[in-house]
Amino acid sequence: MIQPKRQVAALTATLVLALLAACSRPAGKSTTGAAPGATGPSAAIYFPGTDDRLHAETHLLSASLTTSEQRLKALAQAWIDGPDTDGLVRPLAGVESLHVDLSGDGTLYVDLLPAADATKPQLGSSEELTAIYSLVNTFALNVPDVKTVVLLWNGTQPPTLAGHIDTGVPLTADRSLVAGETTTP
Amino acid sequence: MPATRYPAPHPPRRNDPSLAPCFSLLAQARIPRSWLLVPAPRGPRPAERDGILSRVIRRLSVLLALLLIALPLVAQEEEEETPEVPRVQVSASATLLWADTGSSLPVLRAAPGVLVGLQQVVERLGGKLQRVEGAPEAFVLDLQGTRAVLGAGSQAVTIGQDIVTLSQPPILSTAGPLVPIDLLQRLYGDTLGYRFEWQDSTSTLLVVQGTRREIPLTVNVVQLEELTTLVLRFDQSPRYRIEESPGLVRVDFTGDVIHLTQTPTLPAGSLAQRVRVAPDSVVIQLAPDVRADHYVLNDPFRLVFDLYRGATPSGGSAPALTPPRRRPGVHTIVIDPGHGGDETGAVGPAGTEEKNVTLELAQELRQSLQAHLPVEVDLTRTGDVSMPLDDRSAFANAHKADLFISLHLNSTRGKTAHGAETYFLSLTASDEAAAEAAEAENASQPDGGDPLYDLQLMLWDLAQSRHLAESQRLAKLIQAELNDSLDLRDRGVKQAPFRVLKGAAMPAVLVEVGFINNPQDEQRLNDPDYRQKVVSALVRAIQRFSAEMAPASPADSTPDSADGAGP
């Protein structure tokens, strides 16, 4: 028979262990290029949810990623890999990879490279809007050197990705699309 | 005689009761009123001289006595014609400190602030202050071509063409008009760049010569049919004054220096013959019979001049003219069925394609609009063809549309969203960045730029921005009607950078009629009865908007009566 004092001690030890385990769990996953045990700052990858808002999924960046270019490539890979969180979706399923190129004036060119047999996405305006700003916010809000983002589709800047939202101009981050932010026309 | 010749603003009125005591006194002295006029010398004989002299002396002494009585009375009459305004006694004095030299300045502390002597400021800083004839409480201050009119007791003053509300009204004092310091700031600050700082602890009004800002200016001129639009774009809001005279528009910059970043190029057919830019002014020389309207756009600050040619009257004075591009009311509507051809748009779970529903809706809407409104309705596409977005707004511009309505069906990643949303354009910072990049690129061209490129830039920068308020109003009316008719949860009016709306030079909205990815909405949108409800709601909204835009006259429809006439 277990004594009451031992019961209290066992319960306390269990709680402490549970607390320690919870504290030591990583807040996100490491992105491409992460060295084991050497994580750097976190980054928010923005994915659309079923509520038509953007949600930030936190990823840990490798400490070895020291330049903006390296971090941009890691962010691009994390975006291509898609979300881990239930309820969030990969916004442009037909895109296989992203090529990113940061110019000296702070313009980031993001080339969306689709699969060979992929056609341009057929989306509603809400889907298109969140898809575009999923990319723009992910790069512009994580890398201070990025001032504007120009989206390319297979090497060419299209007027729109899916017939609605203007991609013919350099785009800046839009926090109003992020869940929890409010916007009033 | 002096007694009858003293200066007076008006001839003495004998029936005036205020002069009754004077004439009464004359009667009591038994002196004929004709004595008040000097008789011509009749050459008296020597024997009569002594008697005449004594009589003249007696008359003069009587007249002198009368003068002593009458003068104050007549003076009183003068004052009654220009009533005296109560004046506040000012005992306190502050220091007006300017250019390291102090001078005395009457001051009155009157909640909520401090009033200081305007006359004393004018004497130090310049200008000409005058009382307004017949209105002793009103003053006019002329300062470097700017005229300000202010009145004691009135918080509203006019400065040039502007009406400015002061923090507190000026008052009249024994030391002249006392005014709040914000009036000085507005007058001397805007005109001469002075800055006023009241130091209460030392009762000092410090005047500092503000630094003259050097503000870069870009001038863009675009010719669109018979309208020349000239845009002065500034990096900061300048202090300016606009003077218009026949054939000339002059913008004077007061207290700032303008730096022209590139020489403006006038396009062929421009109604501006010449644009001269100096550090302190821009002068636009107009072609004959050309008039100019101007308005202001902000972020960045722009002065926009629309130049247009008015009809020369057959005789008499020129009639009031308006720019030719907009007629009051709604006469032509362009409806844009979204997508088409290879661009199917969103696809519903049952396979319904957005492009087909939008085309059906557009055709039904055209039919209903033509049945209920005296308007011409054009569709950007009437078949299953693809059409670039820029061509769609260009189509509306070419047809001189008064409204542009783009019809779409939405789709989301969730399956439960349903109902309608109405959008109008949001001009984001990226549009400004694009405009700047385009301008820089254009400026780098050796020939000063491609006119077509200029036109595109202007359309992007200005076309929809000047109609945003009307677009928002139309969007609200449409959203309200759709909510009411279809019994929908209000998803609200929204803004987004829709490419198809950007180049539209008229009120323009994009309506997402339903969510095609929602099976229920998809089924409804395939139902002609449901689509008719949508069409009726759109027609009512357009009727209301049309009534609001129509010129006001008793014969015109009101929004309420338009409601009643709805389908």
Side-chain angles (χ1 to χ4, degrees):
Chain A
M1 188 175 174
I2 301 173
Q3 298 298 317
K5 282 187 180 177
R6 285 186 181 177
Q7 281 182 321
V8 172
L11 184 61
T12 306
T14 306
L15 286 173
V16 169
L17 286 172
L19 189 63
L20 286 172
C23 291
S24 62
R25 183 178 294 170
K29 66 176 183 180
S30 295
T31 59
T32 307
T39 54
S42 62
I45 313 296
Y46 292 88
F47 291 111
T50 53
D51 58 353
D52 269 336
R53 309 286 287 172
L54 292 175
H55 297 259
E57 189 177 79
T58 304
H59 288 226
L60 296 178
L61 295 180
S62 166
S64 63
L65 305 177
T66 53
T67 67
S68 292
E69 285 73 16
Q70 290 171 332
R71 297 183 70 187
L72 287 167
K73 284 180 181 172
L75 292 170
Q77 188 57 50
W79 189 88
I80 285 291
D81 291 344
D84 288 338
T85 311
D86 288 342
L88 303 187
V89 296
R90 193 177 163 207
L92 295 169
V95 175
E96 278 192 333
S97 62
L98 298 178
H99 177 75
V100 291
D101 185 14
L102 181 61
S103 70
D105 66 353
T107 303
L108 176 69
Y109 294 87
V110 180
D111 195 357
L112 289 75
L113 301 170
D117 57 345
T119 56
K120 281 189 74 176
Q122 303 289 346
L123 304 171
S125 62
S126 297
E127 292 169 320
E128 186 180 354
L129 188 68
T130 49
I132 288 170
Y133 283 94
S134 162
L135 283 162
V136 175
N137 283 7
T138 293
F139 293 116
L141 296 179
N142 284 304
V143 181
D145 289 346
V146 176
K147 306 300 180 199
T148 59
V149 177
V150 171
L151 296 181
L152 308 176
W153 180 265
N154 220 6
T156 305
Q157 184 178 9
T160 67
L161 282 186
H164 305 99
I165 307 302
D166 188 12
T167 51
V169 294
L171 303 168
T172 52
D174 186 349
R175 291 180 188 273
S176 70
L177 297 170
V178 179
E181 304 281 346
T182 57
T183 177
T184 307
Chain B
M1 288 182 59
T4 59
R5 305 284 178 180
Y6 65 86
H10 305 287
R13 291 163 293 178
R14 296 192 175 187
N15 293 330
D16 191 329
S18 65
L19 291 183
C22 180
F23 294 117
S24 169
L25 190 66
L26 289 174
Q28 286 172 15
R30 296 173 190 269
I31 298 171
R33 292 180 183 181
S34 60
W35 283 19
L36 297 174
L37 300 175
V38 179
R42 287 179 295 175
R45 288 171 295 185
E48 296 175 342
R49 280 179 187 165
D50 288 348
I52 291 172
L53 185 63
S54 64
R55 277 191 300 189
V56 168
I57 290 172
R58 195 167 61 236
R59 286 180 181 180
L60 282 176
S61 62
V62 171
L63 284 172
L64 185 62
L66 281 172
L67 270 176
L68 291 173
I69 297 166
L71 269 177
L73 291 173
V74 177
Q76 182 184 347
E77 196 264 348
E78 271 187 275
E79 288 173 0
E80 282 175 2
E81 289 192 349
T82 309
E84 184 61 28
V85 176
R87 291 166 186 268
V88 175
Q89 184 74 33
V90 177
S91 54
S93 178
T95 302
L96 175 62
L97 185 60
W98 180 62
D100 296 329
T101 306
S103 59
S104 179
L105 180 69
V107 64
L108 182 72
R109 287 174 172 81
V114 173
L115 299 166
V116 298
L118 180 59
Q119 180 64 51
Q120 293 72 16
V121 172
V122 170
E123 287 167 3
R124 288 292 307 278
L125 303 184
K128 185 178 179 185
L129 182 66
Q130 301 174 86
R131 285 178 68 159
V132 176
E133 189 176 350
E137 75 283 3
F139 290 83
V140 170
L141 173 61
D142 290 303
L143 181 65
Q144 297 219 338
T146 296
R147 167 161 287 196
V149 181
L150 57 145
S154 172
Q155 271 182 273
V157 301
T158 59
I159 299 177
Q161 301 290 321
D162 299 331
I163 297 175
V164 177
T165 302
L166 303 177
S167 59
Q168 58 190 116
I171 63 172
L172 279 185
S173 78
T174 50
L178 302 178
V179 298
I181 292 169
D182 54 297
L183 174 63
L184 301 180
Q185 186 62 54
R186 181 66 196 246
L187 282 170
Y188 289 91
D190 285 3
T191 307
L192 300 172
Y194 290 165
R195 188 165 51 82
F196 291 82
E197 185 180 324
W198 172 253
Q199 297 173 342
D200 201 49
S201 57
T202 56
S203 289
T204 300
L205 181 61
L206 180 65
V207 186
V208 180
Q209 173 69 62
T211 54
R212 290 167 75 86
R213 298 175 299 171
E214 185 168 325
I215 301 177
L217 163 68
T218 306
V219 181
N220 282 311
V221 189
V222 167
Q223 185 68 27
L224 187 62
E225 296 183 354
E226 296 173 353
L227 181 75
T228 301
T229 300
L230 189 147
V231 184
L232 308 182
R233 177 181 166 139
F234 303 86
D235 282 11
Q236 303 173 57
S237 298
R239 294 181 283 252
Y240 69 96
R241 180 176 63 242
I242 296 176
E243 286 182 14
E244 295 180 35
S245 54
L248 210 66
V249 176
R250 183 184 178 90
V251 186
D252 284 313
F253 302 99
T254 52
D256 291 321
V257 175
I258 299 306
H259 167 62
L260 185 65
T261 56
Q262 64 179 88
T263 306
T265 306
L266 296 178
S270 167
L271 300 180
Q273 288 185 328
R274 192 178 175 198
V275 179
R276 280 186 289 123
V277 180
D280 62 348
S281 65
V282 172
V283 178
I284 306 164
Q285 192 174 333
L286 308 177
D289 301 325
V290 169
R291 293 172 61 94
D293 284 347
H294 73 270
Y295 55 95
V296 170
L297 294 174
N298 289 304
D299 300 324
F301 184 88
R302 283 156 290 176
L303 278 173
V304 184
F305 294 88
D306 281 342
L307 313 182
Y308 55 96
R309 201 181 292 278
T312 305
S314 54
S317 58
L321 300 172
T322 54
R325 69 189 189 288
R326 291 293 304 276
R327 297 163 294 165
V330 176
H331 309 279
T332 303
I333 300 171
V334 166
I335 302 167
D336 171 43
H339 307 284
D342 293 341
E343 290 198 9
T344 58
V347 180
T352 305
E353 293 183 337
E354 181 184 358
K355 65 175 184 177
N356 295 330
V357 179
T358 57
L359 182 58
E360 284 184 63
L361 269 171
Q363 288 168 333
E364 290 160 4
L365 179 57
R366 173 170 62 180
Q367 193 176 0
S368 188
L369 279 171
Q370 287 175 333
H372 290 93
L373 279 171
V375 292
E376 179 187 331
V377 183
D378 296 303
L379 269 56
T380 54
R381 68 177 176 96
T382 53
D384 184 19
V385 293
S386 65
M387 185 177 190
L389 294 174
D390 293 349
D391 289 359
R392 298 175 189 239
S393 50
F395 177 92
N397 292 339
H399 282 71
K400 299 188 186 331
D402 301 301
L403 290 184
F404 179 71
I405 298 171
S406 188
L407 297 176
H408 283 255
L409 303 181
N410 210 342
S411 175
T412 61
R413 295 174 181 87
K415 300 294 180 193
T416 56
H418 68 96
E421 292 173 333
T422 312
Y423 286 86
F424 66 104
L425 184 66
S426 66
L427 288 174
T428 62
S430 38
D431 295 304
E432 294 297 342
E436 285 171 13
E439 275 185 37
E441 187 179 326
N442 201 31
S444 66
Q445 295 180 25
D447 62 353
D450 174 5
L452 183 59
Y453 198 78
D454 276 341
L455 177 60
Q456 290 171 339
L457 177 65
M458 291 293 297
L459 284 173
W460 278 63
D461 198 26
L462 295 174
Q464 185 52 205
S465 66
R466 75 172 62 167
H467 299 292
L468 281 182
E470 291 169 331
S471 298
Q472 183 178 19
R473 177 66 187 152
L474 176 61
K476 284 184 175 178
L477 290 172
I478 288 175
Q479 188 63 29
E481 287 292 346
L482 287 171
N483 290 339
D484 286 350
S485 301
L486 308 177
D487 195 22
L488 300 173
R489 182 177 70 89
D490 185 15
R491 298 186 64 89
V493 169
K494 298 180 177 178
Q495 278 185 281
F498 281 100
R499 174 89 178 200
V500 75
L501 299 180
K502 281 197 171 177
M506 73 284 301
V509 296
L510 186 146
V511 187
E512 298 278 7
V513 177
F515 284 83
I516 198 170
N517 68 309
N518 178 320
Q520 273 189 320
D521 267 14
E522 182 187 20
Q523 192 178 359
R524 285 184 191 131
L525 290 163
N526 281 317
D527 176 4
D529 290 340
Y530 183 83
R531 282 205 307 273
Q532 187 53 48
K533 285 185 181 177
V534 172
V535 165
S536 297
L538 293 172
V539 170
R540 278 195 298 276
I542 293 166
Q543 279 182 314
R544 290 171 65 101
F545 184 80
S546 179
E548 289 182 11
M549 293 297 112
S553 80
D556 286 330
S557 301
T558 63
D560 288 336
S561 66
D563 272 348

